[in-house]
Amino acid sequence: MTDATDKRARSVQVGTGPETIRVLKAAIGDGLLPDTYVSGGNLVHMETVSGGLPTVAADEDSPLPVSASPVTPAALAALLAQHAYVYRLRTRRGDTGDPETYEEEVTPPREILASVLAGKTWPKLPPLRGIIGAPVLRRDGTLLQRAGYDPATGLYLATRVALPPVPDQPTPDQVRAARAFLLDRFLRDFPWSSPADRANYIALLTTPILRHFNRSLIPFALIDATMPASGKTILTAGPGMLYGQRVLPWTYSDDELRKSITAVLAEQVGVVIWDNIAEGSVIDSPILAQLVTGGIWSDRPLGTSRNIATVNDRLWMATGNNLQVGGDMASRTVRVHLDPNMPRPEERDQSTFGIPHLDQWITVPKNQLTVLWHLLVLVLDWTRHGAPEERGVSMRQFTPWAQSLGGFLAHHGIDGFLTNLTEVREIDEDETRWRAFLTTWHERHGARHMTAAELRRDAEPQTIGGELHDPWDGQFITTHNGRLPNPLQLGRLLTGQAGRWRGNHVLRAGKNDRGDRAVFWVERHG
């Protein structure tokens, strides 16, 4: 609370309507109100969010403890009353009968305050580019770790518990201790399916720290397992609790998915999680593919008539059992797969674990900061050695991310990063269906040119010995609802796949000899 003396030091004399607008606009632009910034041309005020719980479960929302609230006319009236002394001069008859002047504290009318806020230009106010829940690397490789506003980046660091300063040049002993804690305690007892799964997870855990340093797009993170109770939610809670998380229900409607994405981008969280998607689900949304390959998300929020454009700087994650990817998501996904290879993973003897009852341990803020501190030590040791990159790794639009995180992991001797990309393609439901279709097509017809109608007739069930027989043995391509396409639908499907390789087979398209019909054929190489 601003005391009376401080308020008097922030005195603003107002008068007529136009004069009040000019005076308040100038005073606010010169920093009249503390913790006030400009974001997208609009004023926002940083304030602590009351009512937050000290600890939350790993699968619950974990918002950051501060919020950048838009300064509306009502909010501006409250801020002026709290932090400034706004007055006008009045005249009254004194004890002697002569007129005397006195100060009257006032709240300007709503229309005046709305006029003050109407402009988009605030050149002297510091820009707010985002709120972060944990330290991040600046572009110059230095660590932003002091709580509050950072002028160099425009970021506001809001942590739940004070983090001990991380040395710019960690000692070898600190580096060894950090690596031992991360690998031999924190992550030791997860049933990783392969070294790639552990390496990929460490990369994802480190990603929010480096997102401003390498300015790269971030791939979609898929954490799945063969069995429930394998530890998926604990893994998402790692980055989620550190950087602020929002847990969303999964939807198969692209419209609903778009709405939820737009809504969550307005919140102050660094990680968004679709938790416990139904077993065996196929993640193939074009909306999601668009999201992770775009640095800016543009959409019209619900209930408004104008589009907004928001920087997409979140880590997007999903968990479930035996999930698949489809469409374009396979090349946009980093997978972390757990396989406990036992019927009831929840019955494992926790007394032998590096950290017993990790699902509860990770929800305690001081424990989260223990993980973060050791992780930051490893990051600063990497930057002290020049932040070497792994040039031999690539991942489409995410290559800068892959090379940076690959270099970080290689520097600390953590092997396997992204070596399971082939397995991701194998869980690509779309890839699997088309590969089987083209393989069967080539086995039945070789490289023969066929129209869509001819090919569709070849898929008709045949009666053999009084029973219906599927000549394609269930491998013919189907529509989204699982039915055989008609010739027109099949022609559209084939045209959309022309020139695309599926394993060793590729679909080709052209015209027949007369040039009046489209024909298709399959070539096999290798």
Side-chain angles (χ1 to χ4, degrees), residues 258-493:
R258 177 181 285 278
K259 290 176 185 176
S260 64
I261 290 171
T262 300
V264 80
L265 280 170
E267 300 181 18
Q268 308 298 336
V269 292
V271 181
V272 182
I273 304 164
W274 287 283
D275 194 33
N276 282 324
I277 298 177
E279 186 168 11
S281 293
V282 180
I283 300 175
D284 61 354
S285 168
I287 297 298
L288 198 54
Q290 173 191 347
L291 171 71
V292 297
T293 53
I296 301 293
W297 174 261
S298 179
D299 191 28
R300 187 175 69 246
L302 191 64
T304 67
S305 59
R306 62 183 181 86
N307 268 34
I308 62 165
T310 308
V311 176
N312 175 21
D313 56 1
R314 313 297 165 88
L315 175 58
W316 305 88
M317 312 182 80
T319 73
N321 296 319
N322 296 316
L323 299 179
Q324 301 179 73
V325 291
D328 291 325
M329 287 305 296
S331 60
R332 294 163 166 80
T333 299
V334 171
R335 187 192 193 196
V336 175
H337 187 55
L338 303 178
D339 183 5
N341 193 28
M342 61 186 305
R344 289 177 289 278
E346 69 275 11
E347 295 181 0
R348 289 180 295 171
D349 182 9
Q350 298 237 355
S351 65
T352 64
F353 283 17
I355 301 178
H357 305 292
L358 187 57
D359 57 333
Q360 301 172 31
W361 184 92
I362 194 62
T363 64
V364 179
K366 70 173 185 177
N367 295 335
Q368 298 160 15
L369 293 182
T370 298
V371 175
L372 180 61
W373 195 89
H374 287 101
L375 193 61
L376 289 170
V377 165
L378 296 181
V379 169
L380 289 181
D381 180 67
W382 171 65
T383 57
R384 184 178 57 139
H385 288 84
E389 296 184 343
E390 187 71 16
R391 292 293 181 179
V393 65
S394 64
M395 192 183 178
R396 293 190 61 175
Q397 301 98 320
F398 314 105
T399 294
W401 172 86
Q403 291 182 345
S404 185
L405 270 301
F408 167 74
L409 294 169
H411 175 74
H412 291 293
I414 302 172
D415 300 326
F417 180 55
L418 295 184
T419 56
N420 64 349
L421 288 180
T422 300
E423 296 173 13
V424 176
R425 286 193 291 270
E426 289 175 354
I427 64 167
D428 181 349
E429 190 256 359
D430 188 62
E431 172 76 17
T432 301
R433 289 193 313 128
W434 277 96
R435 183 186 298 180
F437 173 60
L438 296 186
T439 300
T440 307
W441 181 350
H442 191 267
E443 289 173 352
R444 291 181 60 80
H445 301 289
R448 175 189 164 200
H449 293 202
M450 305 176 71
T451 64
E454 291 172 331
L455 186 64
R456 177 61 181 83
R457 283 196 298 270
D458 188 61
E460 285 296 332
Q462 303 171 2
T463 303
I464 301 177
E467 295 183 358
L468 280 178
H469 170 70
D470 179 3
W472 282 68
D473 196 23
Q475 301 304 318
F476 202 88
I477 201 68
T478 58
T479 61
H480 68 279
N481 56 11
R483 297 179 179 177
L484 290 175
N486 62 40
L488 180 60
Q489 291 172 322
L490 180 59
R492 291 172 177 169
L493 287 172

Side-chain angles (χ1 to χ4, degrees), residues 172-239:
D173 286 343
Q174 288 174 324
V175 174
R176 281 191 294 269
R179 190 180 186 280
F181 172 83
L182 191 68
L183 302 181
D184 301 333
R185 287 197 62 203
F186 180 56
L187 301 178
R188 188 189 76 183
D189 299 299
F190 287 94
W192 310 106
S193 182
S194 71
D197 300 291
R198 186 183 72 165
N200 291 355
Y201 177 73
I202 297 172
L204 294 171
L205 186 63
T206 312
T207 289
I209 299 174
L210 303 186
R211 73 185 187 194
H212 297 282
F213 176 68
N214 55 29
R215 293 186 181 180
S216 170
L217 295 174
I218 301 171
F220 185 69
L222 178 66
I223 299 181
D224 74 334
T226 57
M227 292 287 294
S230 298
K232 305 179 298 295
T233 300
I234 301 175
L235 290 180
T236 57

